[in-house]
Amino acid sequence: MAYLLALLIGLSCALQLPWVMVQGGGWWLAPGGDVAQSMLGHLAFQADGWRFPLFRIASLMPPQGVNALLLDANPLVSLLAKLLPGGPHNLLGWWLFACFAAQPVAAAYALRGMGERRIFPALAVAALAAAMPSLWFRPMHPNLCGHFVVLLALGATLRLLRGQPGWGMAVAVLLLGAFTHPYLLAMAAALLCAVPMQAAIARDWPGLRRAGLALALALGGTAGLMALAGFFGAAAGDRGFGRFSMNLLSPLLPQLSGLFGGAMLDATGGQYEGFNYLGAGVLVVVALAWHRPPRWMAALLVVLLGLTLLALSSRIYAGPVLLLDLGLKPWEDIFGAFRASGRLFWPVGYAALILAIAALAARLRPMAFGTLCMLAIGLQWLDTAPLRARAHAMMASPAAAPPPPSFAEALTAATRLTFLPAAPCIMGAERDLAQSLALVAVRLGIAVSSVPAARMPAGFGCEAAASDAVETPLRPGELRLVLEHAFISRLDARLLGAGVGCLGALPRLCGEGLGTPLPASQPPAMPIRGESVDPRPFQAHGWAGAWNAGPRSTLLLPAGGGTLELRLRGVALNPGGTRVVSVRVNDGPASEWRLVDMAEATQRILLPQGPVRITFDVPRPVDPQRRGLGRVAHRVGMQLMSARLLD
């Protein structure tokens, strides 16, 4: 009965979501930001064929492709949608509906983990959890609305700590988190670590062996399935540990409150990720229930303390005041995977609610407990009213402008869409336009060159993607969308191909026979064979005089044949080191040069016939002033001293 009543509370909350959004309208018609990223992956996975690894999407960021999890595409829901006939289907609205409906049920399950099985405490915790501010703030990240996963993990942990069965639910929540969002998996795994830790504290060595083995099997099995699904192996995402943190006052100080007002606490420009205000009702019950916890919860309290410290990060702010600064190193290297570490407080907030309701239910008479809970629920509901209104308004209407009709029409005859610069390398309205047009392309079954992802495929780089887009001919059926003015002057029919034209001023969509034809520049004269020449007329992307100015630099020769001899020197990260340069001629295989730091070297490149494009990729170029080279370039990895064309 308690679960049924909790479900009714959840359904009443879920029905407050815009029904048009649940059915696939509203913001899904032209989403922006992370919502667009999730929907791109969700639809592209369904439109793509079956592959191994299972969740690899080959049509996005070809030829490597990208995994659905890295796009926040909710692989589990995407897989269910792909199994339905007549797709692709947008089930993400139904996922959001399920998240809000399941939240109170999961809260009742967590409370029962404390041994409290009466109906009225279950209803109280269900209603308060349904109005948690951190949940109603989160629809901008649809997959992270799965807070019920955290509550289920908490309930399983409490049962196991009390010696009751719970490993079945533990395995279920680990798998659910793994195939929904990595942060949910991390929170669930952290909570479950309290079980063997408590056995160790109690010196229960047989219990430690049993719990440790069970947890190892559960985590190992989950990791194995994730590996088979292709969730590992991507390059690191943007760093943010220390910025996307929680403010120390965030759980306690009213923010976006319907009772007290208050702006969001954000001392770093990223602490919206750590928005963890508990709400007036939850704060009342937590304050009144304060007591010394039982010994069997010692390990869980240690885990919750650890999650709190991670949420605060290595730079702890109380409001605008920096209380403690431990720097970013080595913490960013250790915990960098949790760039938005402020989210890790969610289990702490829910644990505080569960423990408080259990304590008050045990301590107070039923009439006093009921009166207090009714007051707390009313306060919580009023306090979260602005957040509910904000979420409703956000989900009810499109978040971004649709792409120009002429652009969408041009895509109907295309086979590939390329962004210049790449979509992960831009922000704001330009990224929204790129993602809106990418959604049109996905619905048409067209490959898309780049999409923002939590972690990028290995080898991706903004400079490399930009140089490829302005210096290589268009493939048959390819369109290139130019999103920044700096690239307009570099569009050249000599490089992109004869007959290439463009629509619009900025943004500008370019393709074969499209709009106004591009002019073609005159190529530089080829050097006399056997003589040393100045390579600057042939330098294209990423050069500052003789110095490469970034990870990607290129040479463009109007004709090939013979051998190009280059005299150069590498600039390593540290004195006496080695500089590795990856060199590729046209679309051929890459070769690797290892240059001794600051020492001259001669390298030869065999040139094919026809126009030649040589790319030099330098991982982690160094600040030249750090190496005593002056302001020769923004970043350097090598210096090209001279070139000679041999027969």
Side-chain angles (χ1 to χ4, degrees):
M1 178 61 71
Y3 287 138
L4 177 59
L5 294 175
L7 178 60
L8 292 176
I9 293 174
L11 289 174
S12 66
C13 289
L15 287 171
Q16 292 190 62
L17 304 177
W19 191 244
V20 64
M21 180 280 300
V22 176
Q23 294 179 305
W27 67 359
W28 304 117
L29 298 178
D34 291 330
V35 179
Q37 177 182 314
S38 298
M39 190 172 174
L40 267 173
H42 182 58
L43 297 180
F45 172 71
Q46 298 175 60
D48 203 18
W50 293 100
R51 305 186 181 279
F52 182 82
L54 176 61
F55 291 104
R56 176 174 169 263
I57 306 171
S59 60
L60 300 181
M61 305 190 75
Q64 299 98 329
V66 67
N67 195 284
L69 183 72
L70 304 182
L71 297 176
D72 288 347
N74 199 318
L76 180 61
V77 175
S78 296
L79 180 60
L80 293 175
K82 191 167 186 172
L83 295 173
L84 297 176
H89 308 280
N90 179 12
L91 298 187
L92 292 179
W94 288 103
W95 159 258
L96 281 170
F97 185 90
C99 287
F100 284 88
Q103 175 85 349
V105 180
Y109 173 82
L111 181 66
R112 286 201 169 193
M114 291 291 297
E116 177 56 70
R117 306 181 66 86
R118 289 173 290 180
I119 289 181
F120 289 120
L123 293 181
V125 79
L128 289 169
M132 204 68 162
S134 57
L135 173 63
W136 284 98
F137 178 76
R138 192 47 60 176
M140 57 183 164
H141 298 127
N143 299 315
L144 283 169
C145 286
H147 286 209
F148 69 93
V149 177
V150 179
L151 284 164
L152 292 176
L154 180 59
T157 301
L158 291 170
R159 282 166 171 77
L160 291 167
L161 288 173
R162 295 176 59 244
Q164 296 182 349
W167 282 113
M169 178 60 78
V171 172
V173 296
L174 288 175
L175 291 174
L176 188 57
F179 289 88
T180 301
H181 199 284
Y183 276 88
L184 299 178
L185 170 63
M187 294 177 209
L191 289 171
L192 291 168
C193 284
V195 181
M197 188 186 302
Q198 182 62 40
I201 292 174
R203 300 193 177 189
D204 177 8
W205 309 126
L208 175 59
R209 286 193 296 270
R210 289 192 300 271
L213 178 61
L215 182 59
L217 289 174
L219 290 175
T222 301
L225 289 176
M226 293 176 69
L228 289 174
F231 289 172
F232 303 121
D238 295 335
R239 296 301 178 103
F241 185 79
R243 181 187 175 207
F244 300 107
S245 59
M246 181 183 76
N247 197 288
L248 182 63
L249 302 180
S250 183
L252 306 176
L253 197 66
Q255 303 156 70
L256 309 180
S257 165
L259 293 174
F260 309 105
M264 187 185 305
L265 292 173
D266 191 351
T268 67
Q271 288 189 326
Y272 64 89
E273 287 287 9
F275 174 78
N276 281 297
Y277 175 49
L278 294 178
V282 173
L283 287 174
V284 166
V285 298
V286 169
L288 293 178
W290 189 263
H291 70 291
R292 184 174 181 177
R295 286 189 174 184
W296 62 267
M297 295 185 60
L300 178 60
L301 296 178
V302 171
V303 169
L304 296 176
L305 176 61
L307 290 172
T308 302
L309 293 176
L310 279 174
L312 293 170
S313 82
S314 59
R315 305 182 71 197
I316 300 178
Y317 285 88
V321 180
L322 180 60
L323 296 181
L324 178 66
D325 188 357
L326 299 177
L328 291 179
K329 300 293 184 179
W331 315 109
E332 187 180 51
D333 297 328
I334 300 171
F335 303 113
F338 303 108
R339 62 186 296 263
S341 67
R343 302 169 182 170
L344 297 179
F345 188 80
W346 297 348
V348 185
Y350 286 118
L353 170 62
I354 299 301
L355 301 183
I357 291 294
L360 290 174
R363 185 188 308 167
L364 300 178
R365 293 181 177 180
M367 183 62 70
F369 176 78
T371 302
L372 173 61
C373 287
M374 291 297 294
L375 173 64
I377 292 169
L379 289 173
Q380 190 78 358
W381 193 252
L382 293 173
D383 211 18
T384 55
L387 287 170
R388 297 196 310 275
R390 170 182 174 272
H392 189 283
M394 184 167 52
M395 291 186 278
S397 57
S406 59
F407 288 13
E409 182 181 354
L411 276 177
T412 59
T415 59
R416 180 185 174 104
L417 176 63
T418 298
F419 297 119
L420 178 62
C425 311
I426 50 177
M427 296 298 293
E430 290 81 8
R431 177 178 283 193
D432 285 345
L433 174 61
Q435 293 189 134
S436 296
L437 203 59
L439 280 170
V440 175
V442 164
R443 291 187 175 106
L444 293 171
I446 296 170
V448 179
S449 68
S450 60
V451 289
R455 291 177 179 266
M456 304 306 299
F460 174 84
C462 291
E463 294 84 358
S467 72
D468 287 343
V470 296
E471 295 170 5
T472 59
L474 271 69
R475 301 170 179 86
E478 181 185 8
L479 297 179
R480 293 188 186 167
L481 180 66
V482 185
L483 294 161
E484 289 186 355
H485 189 271
F487 292 100
I488 294 293
S489 61
R490 300 185 59 191
L491 299 178
D492 190 329
R494 177 174 66 87
L495 302 176
L496 300 185
V500 173
C502 300
L503 294 172
L506 188 71
R508 180 175 293 185
L509 187 67
C510 300
E512 178 71 26
L514 202 65
T516 305
L518 280 177
S521 64
Q522 290 295 321
M526 286 293 290
I528 300 174
R529 295 183 182 269
E531 295 185 5
S532 293
V533 297
D534 182 356
R536 281 178 295 181
F538 308 99
Q539 292 173 356
H541 189 95
W543 294 99
W547 300 87
N548 85 303
R552 163 65 65 88
S553 298
T554 56
L555 289 176
L556 301 178
L557 302 176
T563 301
L564 181 65
E565 182 182 84
L566 302 178
R567 189 165 62 91
L568 41 85
R569 62 173 177 165
V571 182
L573 288 172
N574 298 299
T578 301
R579 167 58 66 188
V580 177
V581 181
S582 179
V583 184
R584 187 187 301 272
V585 179
N586 291 343
D587 294 327
S591 59
E592 199 173 80
W593 295 350
R594 292 185 174 273
L595 308 177
V596 177
D597 180 52
M598 303 305 291
E600 291 187 15
T602 300
Q603 297 285 349
R604 293 186 175 185
I605 301 173
L606 185 64
L607 303 178
Q609 296 295 328
V612 176
R613 177 173 180 258
I614 307 172
T615 62
F616 305 89
D617 287 309
V618 180
R620 299 180 64 195
V622 67
D623 181 348
Q625 295 188 76
R626 172 185 160 190
R627 296 302 319 278
L629 300 174
R631 295 178 175 271
V632 295
H634 177 61
R635 283 284 190 271
V636 300
M638 67 176 190
Q639 178 189 19
L640 180 55
M641 304 172 70
S642 68
R644 190 162 58 126
L645 189 61
L646 307 177
D647 290 331

